[in-house]
Amino acid sequence: EVYESSDSTPFEGGHYRKHCVEQLKEEVECLDVDVLLTCEWPQRLVRKLPPEEQKAVGEASPKEVRQRICSEVVTELVQACEPKFHICALGGKFYRRPAYLTKEGKSTCRTYCMGTIGGGSKWLSGLDVDLGRAPNIDEATANPFVDDPEGPAAPVQPATVDELKVAVQVEDEEMRRFRKRFGAAPLDVLQCHTHEAEKEQAALDRAALRDEKREAKKLYEN
């Protein structure tokens, strides 16, 4: 109802309107979009995945959850923007989809579905954004948003020991790359930034308090 409204405002509460989406699609026609941020997942995101990835996405976000958080509007935006990275939310658990082909097979898009903070699964991820690096076309899947709509989800099977070992190795490799680039683990970097921000705010508070005392002293002397 809000989406189809002809109201001139682009948003109402946490909801966007159709004309706002159409305007954004027009604005990105001639742009090279690096990162797209959305709340919802795009509809049909999990199509054209190998069986082991069907298991992974089923464990991260079962079909009944995807039916609630996926949006055809976001699919239209992703197809219009063709970003290099797409970051979305609402799934509750972290899931990274293998890159898929965009721009008529000349580039790729990597999708990161973020988890809930404190939800018991991974929720912090460092992106290695190197815009000058050529996309790895050979390892990308076909574009999931082309052709048929999403069929029935593959039955979810428990991960095998070997599959869990591979997943741990992938996480370790991501952590090594992050440490090499930033010199610390992701949580350490976050805590450092938080600590520095708190120190800066405390310094500002002390300066403001000194100014207030100085002004009060001037008023008393006068």
Side-chain angles (χ1 to χ4, degrees):
E1 183 177 330
V2 174
Y3 179 69
E4 296 291 344
S5 171
S6 59
D7 191 294
S8 60
T9 57
F11 301 97
E12 180 176 322
H15 305 280
Y16 45 77
R17 302 189 193 279
K18 184 175 182 178
H19 65 81
C20 175
V21 175
E22 294 299 327
Q23 180 180 346
L24 179 58
K25 288 162 62 177
E26 291 178 4
E27 291 177 352
V28 300
E29 279 184 358
C30 300
L31 298 177
D32 190 13
V33 179
D34 295 323
V35 181
L36 173 66
L37 305 176
T38 65
C39 284
E40 302 104 322
W41 291 26
Q43 193 75 28
R44 306 193 298 280
L45 176 67
V46 301
R47 289 180 65 232
K48 303 183 180 179
L49 288 172
E52 61 272 16
E53 280 297 325
Q54 289 284 358
K55 294 179 184 178
V57 73
E59 292 171 356
S61 181
K63 186 176 181 180
E64 59 270 20
V65 175
R66 297 201 305 273
Q67 289 174 337
R68 176 172 52 83
I69 65 174
C70 290
S71 166
E72 190 64 38
V73 175
V74 174
T75 298
E76 294 177 10
L77 276 178
V78 172
Q79 289 179 285
C81 295
E82 293 191 303
K84 295 180 178 66
F85 294 89
H86 178 201
I87 302 172
C88 49
L90 299 182
K93 292 184 179 180
F94 178 85
Y95 172 67
R96 179 184 60 189
R97 189 199 190 282
Y100 61 84
L101 296 172
T102 60
K103 300 185 184 299
E104 299 180 345
K106 298 176 183 178
S107 187
T108 62
C109 176
R110 298 183 179 276
T111 305
Y112 291 78
C113 307
M114 303 309 296
T116 302
I117 296 178
S121 65
K122 178 177 178 177
W123 56 268
L124 181 65
S125 179
L127 297 183
D128 185 10
V129 182
D130 185 355
L131 301 180
R133 183 172 56 196
N136 193 341
I137 303 295
D138 296 334
E139 295 185 2
T141 73
N143 192 314
F145 309 121
V146 179
D147 300 327
D148 302 327
E150 180 180 2
V156 176
Q157 301 293 335
T160 65
V161 173
D162 289 339
E163 289 170 341
L164 290 173
K165 287 181 179 178
V166 171
V168 170
Q169 290 171 357
V170 170
E171 293 296 324
D172 287 346
E173 181 61 29
E174 281 191 347
M175 187 67 73
R176 280 194 291 271
R177 287 202 300 266
F178 191 97
R179 284 181 177 276
K180 182 178 179 181
R181 183 168 185 179
F182 298 103
L187 188 56
D188 293 337
V189 173
L190 178 64
Q191 290 174 338
C192 179
H193 281 297
T194 302
H195 180 64
E196 291 300 321
E198 289 175 349
K199 286 174 57 179
E200 183 177 350
Q201 185 59 51
L204 292 173
D205 291 342
R206 288 194 297 270
L209 182 60
R210 285 196 299 269
D211 291 341
E212 289 178 2
K213 288 182 177 179
R214 192 177 296 115
E215 291 298 323
K217 184 178 180 181
K218 288 181 180 178
L219 290 174
Y220 176 78
E221 292 175 347
N222 293 334

